[in-house]
Amino acid sequence: MADFEEALDAVGLRLRALRRDRGTTLVQLSAATGISVSTLSRLESGNRRPTLEQLLPLAKAHGVTLDELVSAPPTGDPRLHLRPIRCQGGMTVLPLTRRPGGIQSYKFVLSATARPKQPAPQTHEGYEWLYVLNGHLRLVLGEHDLVLAPGEVAEFDTHIPHWFGAAGTESVEFLSLFGKQGERAHIRARPRKSAGS
């Protein structure tokens, strides 16, 4: 129970750090979560403990998991210790593979304010596949400016200038498979021929 109390007491500091890292004001966060500015201020200062009803929209607005927000102990397979990587601009990347070489997989979480709205396409060696889990992902790929919805996929050579960010006011979660140049990940399913064919 003491650990639970300590975790709740520390949430305010994490909330303030997340908001400042993303350059978000209390007014903007209030608009994104539906939580009043005064309540957000009290939560960040530690004068009020958050409820689950407050933590869920805050985690979504900041583009982090609820576990990250409350600093929950690690769960799942104890042999795997996948740690999120905080990137410039507030983007969070969770490596899903640990072996060197071959195709690498990552989960990206972008808050709506995680990256600048002005695309700055870049190129590098490799090949990438993106699969959108939640939210809408804006992908600038060469001369194309696309918005991918949940369940949609993009596949491209990373020599093509590319950039991605949140397309709207909600956070975006997507999976990325990244391979070396010339590597392809294709799944082909063909029906079996019946004995009479």
Side-chain angles (χ1 to χ4, degrees), residues 119-161:
Q122 297 184 357
T123 63
H124 52 87
E125 187 74 22
Y127 205 82
E128 190 158 4
W129 303 265
L130 304 177
Y131 178 83
V132 180
L133 298 167
N134 293 304
H136 289 81
L137 179 70
R138 181 180 178 200
L139 172 64
V140 175
L141 183 60
E143 61 198 38
H144 304 285
D145 195 337
L146 310 164
V147 175
L148 303 176
E152 292 189 308
V153 177
E155 176 183 355
F156 56 93
D157 183 324
T158 55
H159 283 118
I160 299 170

Side-chain angles (χ1 to χ4, degrees), residues 6 17 41 66 87 104 110-111 115 150 167:
E6 284 178 29
S41 178
L66 196 54
C87 299
Q104 301 295 309
L110 304 174
S111 70
R115 302 196 72 184

